[in-house]
Amino acid sequence: MIEWMQKHRKYLVITIWVSSIAFIVAGGIGWGQFNLNTSLFGDTVIKVGNIKITAQQFEQAYNNTYQTYAQAIGGNIDPDEAKAIGLDKMAKQFASQILINQALVQNFALDLGLRVQDSEVIDQITKSEAFQNNGHFDEAIYKTTLKENNYRPVDFERNIRDMLLLQKMTDLFPDSITPLELDTISSAFKLQDRIELSILTTDTIHPKITESELQTYWEKNKANYKTSLSYGIENHFIDSTLQDVSPKEVQEYYDQNKSLYINEKGELEPFEKIKPRVQKDVQLHKTLSLATKEYLNLKKNNINNISETITEQSKQYPIEIMQELQKSKAGQTLKPFLYKNGYMILKLISRKEPEIKTFEQAKQEALSDLTQTKKIDLLKLEAQNKLSSFKGQDIGFVNVDFDGKIQGLTKEEISKLIREIFINQKKSNFVIINNKAILFRIKEQNFKSPIKDNNAMVTMTTNLKTQYIQKVLIDYLRQKYTIKRYQD
């Protein structure tokens, strides 16, 4: 993402100028119900107070938002993929909400008497490096850059004016925090609990399961028990070690491909030192030529092959080849690929889709799953019965950042336990993690856990205060100004 931003600096200057403040005031977003397909037919698609949002403004905001999302998740996404993952809908909703929040703040700024002078717009544009040549504003670069980003100067300058108005509004927000505010936020991170805990496991639980119970369980869950996707294939292997090569061929290959034999120090490895490696490379090279011919023969069924059946879980062939088989149709032949000491060619003869297993076929899997389910149910019951009176291990004080050891628990299990303790609203409770029930009791609580990074805490408190002010402001403005969406 960072590399993409660096390559598209001028594009991002425009995008960020137009939408950076919008993203700031988008705190507390509740997704809208804007319909792009119908709204684009009108000039005004949304009206917020006295501010009109045009179809062009919406389309530009939508395109910027869509492209930002698309680049963040990999770049080139076709319309079908975007629709499948909900990207288009998300971009429409977010663009709509951004513009509405912008307009709400603009209305309020104008009512407060805030204005943007023409000289301020000019200064903002001319000082941008994106439009400069040798340190000076270049009008030709300015117009070309806007054209490449589908902006008319009049529209872009209006957007800059809007951005500056929003900036003036946000400059009114307090940018400092009080000691009380810092202490209030910090207290959540200073909280620590003294914990007593006991660990129960399923090791001693052995539920009895009747044939009837198992049959009923399988009937309810049989869709989970299917045979594997399998492939009927023919394979043809060409062993490179059987290829004869002369000393002359090995020497010539080395001379023609010296770039392949440069070591980590950037030095060419002497021929005599790596002669066995070069010989192997020559053999593989000759094998590939032979494999290409055999590939065509296999497609035409002109050679004898070995038939076999493999499942989608097979580890016999590389994962890339298994993926190719999954996409192939019966009768297709895969191109030769490097395999052990040679090249392998596969032809897909048939494929058998997964089928629901019979009760007898699924019996052992179902028995294992049902046994585990009943073990957990009985474990929960045991934990509940012992919760009020258990006597456990006092592990001392823990905080949200606890990274110590607890006997009987793995690091991952400790992390989950600590998270549960600090979101728990009860003095005593239990949590099921893997095959364990961990009973815990808060014996003591205080606010004496030291803060590891005071600067980070100040930054967090400042950000939380800003977000809260923004949310309160937007909520207030939604009550103050009428929002109208126009549709056909």
Side-chain angles (χ1 to χ4, degrees):
M1 185 62 177
I2 296 298
E3 292 178 356
W4 178 85
M5 292 171 71
Q6 291 170 339
K7 291 179 182 177
H8 298 78
R9 179 175 61 85
K10 290 185 179 180
Y11 167 79
L12 279 177
V13 166
I14 293 174
T15 304
I16 291 170
W17 275 10
V18 175
S19 61
S20 61
I21 305 303
F23 275 92
I24 291 174
V25 301
I29 285 175
W31 298 117
Q33 300 298 321
F34 189 82
N35 188 323
L36 176 66
N37 294 328
T38 58
S39 298
L40 280 179
F41 289 105
D43 179 54
T44 299
V45 293
I46 308 175
K47 184 178 180 183
V48 182
N50 294 320
I51 304 294
K52 294 179 179 179
I53 299 171
T54 67
Q56 182 185 14
Q57 287 176 298
F58 181 85
E59 188 171 10
Q60 189 69 54
Y62 167 77
N63 288 337
N64 287 344
T65 305
Y66 182 94
Q67 291 300 325
T68 300
Y69 278 142
Q71 292 293 342
I73 60 177
N76 297 323
I77 299 177
D78 62 42
D80 290 337
E81 290 177 320
K83 187 174 181 179
I85 64 175
L87 178 61
D88 56 338
K89 183 179 179 181
M90 182 166 57
K92 289 177 187 178
Q93 292 174 331
F94 196 47
S96 173
Q97 204 59 56
I98 284 174
L99 292 173
I100 289 173
N101 286 355
Q102 278 183 327
L104 287 169
V105 177
Q106 283 177 278
N107 275 286
F108 193 47
L110 293 173
D111 285 352
L112 292 178
L114 298 176
R115 297 293 186 272
V116 176
Q117 303 300 318
D118 290 346
S119 59
E120 294 176 278
V121 176
I122 293 172
D123 181 63
Q124 183 71 53
I125 293 174
T126 55
K127 73 180 183 182
S128 170
E129 293 182 2
F131 306 131
Q132 291 182 357
N133 183 17
N134 295 324
H136 299 284
F137 175 73
D138 190 316
E139 187 175 0
I141 293 177
Y142 172 64
K143 291 182 178 179
T144 300
T145 304
L146 294 187
K147 185 177 181 181
E148 289 174 350
N149 288 273
N150 299 316
Y151 265 110
R152 295 183 305 168
V154 63
D155 295 325
F156 180 67
E157 288 156 19
R158 182 195 66 232
N159 285 333
I160 296 302
R161 185 181 299 275
D162 291 344
M163 185 276 291
L164 290 172
L165 181 62
L166 292 168
Q167 183 63 62
K168 288 188 176 187
M169 186 65 208
T170 56
D171 286 344
L172 299 178
F173 296 164
D175 59 358
S176 61
I177 56 175
T178 67
L180 177 60
E181 290 167 338
L182 178 59
D183 188 58
T184 300
I185 299 300
S186 299
S187 63
F189 295 87
K190 293 179 180 178
L191 177 66
Q192 59 180 7
D193 295 335
R194 183 180 167 197
I195 301 296
E196 178 183 7
L197 62 80
S198 178
I199 302 172
L200 307 176
T201 73
T202 59
D203 293 347
T204 58
I205 300 176
H206 305 289
K208 294 181 179 180
I209 298 174
T210 66
E211 188 81 2
S212 176
E213 282 182 294
L214 185 58
Q215 179 86 38
T216 301
Y217 178 82
W218 172 78
E219 286 288 351
K220 290 181 179 180
N221 299 278
K222 59 184 177 182
N224 297 329
Y225 303 103
K226 294 183 177 181
T227 59
S228 298
L229 170 65
S230 62
Y231 307 101
I233 62 173
E234 290 182 353
N235 70 54
H236 186 70
F237 179 68
I238 303 96
D239 191 342
S240 66
T241 62
L242 302 180
Q243 306 302 314
D244 293 326
V245 293
S246 66
K248 181 181 179 182
E249 288 178 299
V250 176
Q251 181 67 60
E252 288 178 349
Y253 189 86
Y254 173 81
D255 293 338
Q256 295 169 7
N257 298 276
K258 289 183 178 179
S259 61
L260 299 177
Y261 306 109
I262 295 176
N263 60 28
E264 295 178 354
K265 297 179 180 179
E267 303 168 342
L268 177 64
E269 294 280 9
F271 174 70
E272 291 300 327
K273 181 180 178 181
I274 59 169
K275 188 175 179 180
R277 174 183 161 192
V278 180
Q279 180 174 323
K280 182 178 179 181
D281 289 345
V282 176
Q283 288 177 310
L284 281 171
H285 182 71
K286 293 183 74 172
T287 303
L288 178 58
S289 298
L290 179 59
T292 302
K293 296 177 182 178
E294 295 290 73
Y295 162 73
L296 297 175
N297 288 328
L298 184 57
K299 287 184 69 174
K300 299 175 183 178
N301 298 316
N302 290 338
I303 55 176
N304 294 323
N305 313 299
I306 298 175
S307 298
E308 62 177 329
T309 299
I310 59 174
T311 68
E312 59 184 336
Q313 288 86 23
S314 173
K315 305 295 183 183
Q316 182 176 346
Y317 299 111
I319 187 170
E320 297 83 2
I321 300 304
M322 298 304 297
Q323 291 171 346
E324 285 296 317
L325 280 175
Q326 205 279 330
K327 294 185 292 184
S328 300
K329 297 179 180 179
Q332 283 187 265
T333 304
L334 275 60
K335 292 182 179 179
F337 59 91
L338 206 58
Y339 183 76
K340 297 182 179 178
N341 293 319
Y343 279 89
M344 177 69 81
I345 311 168
L346 299 182
K347 183 173 185 176
L348 180 60
I349 304 302
S350 63
R351 58 187 293 150
K352 188 175 182 181
E353 300 298 329
E355 298 175 348
I356 292 177
K357 294 180 179 180
T358 65
F359 174 66
E360 289 301 323
Q361 289 174 321
K363 191 172 183 178
Q364 291 306 312
E365 292 177 77
L367 178 60
S368 176
D369 291 343
L370 179 55
T371 300
Q372 183 62 23
T373 298
K374 296 195 75 171
K375 278 188 173 187
I376 295 298
D377 289 342
L378 292 170
L379 184 65
K380 289 179 181 178
L381 183 61
E382 181 183 0
Q384 189 65 57
N385 291 335
K386 292 183 176 181
L387 184 61
S388 61
S389 59
F390 79 90
K391 301 293 182 182
Q393 172 191 4
D394 187 338
I395 64 170
F397 284 99
V398 300
N399 58 24
V400 291
D401 294 323
F402 179 78
D403 59 358
K405 296 181 179 180
I406 298 177
Q407 186 176 358
L409 298 179
T410 66
K411 187 174 182 179
E412 181 183 357
E413 290 170 340
I414 293 172
S415 178
K416 291 180 180 179
L417 171 63
I418 297 300
R419 185 166 58 249
E420 288 294 330
I421 288 174
F422 282 94
I423 64 173
N424 169 67
Q425 301 297 316
K426 300 177 181 179
K427 184 177 179 180
S428 297
N429 210 338
F430 71 90
V431 58
I432 302 295
I433 301 177
N434 299 327
N435 66 334
K436 301 170 184 176
I438 307 169
L439 289 69
F440 61 87
R441 180 182 297 120
I442 299 174
K443 301 186 68 175
E444 188 180 344
Q445 191 174 74
N446 62 44
F447 293 89
K448 297 181 179 180
S449 180
I451 298 297
K452 294 181 179 179
D453 189 337
N454 287 317
N455 290 332
M457 190 56 60
V458 170
T459 300
M460 178 185 295
T461 304
T462 303
N463 290 341
L464 287 173
K465 181 176 180 178
T466 301
Q467 292 170 13
Y468 179 74
I469 292 173
Q470 291 167 356
K471 183 182 184 306
V472 170
L473 176 63
I474 292 297
D475 289 344
Y476 166 73
L477 297 181
R478 284 180 174 275
Q479 300 299 318
K480 183 176 176 65
Y481 301 107
T482 302
I483 300 172
K484 294 181 180 179
R485 292 179 172 86
Y486 299 99
Q487 299 183 2
D488 285 351

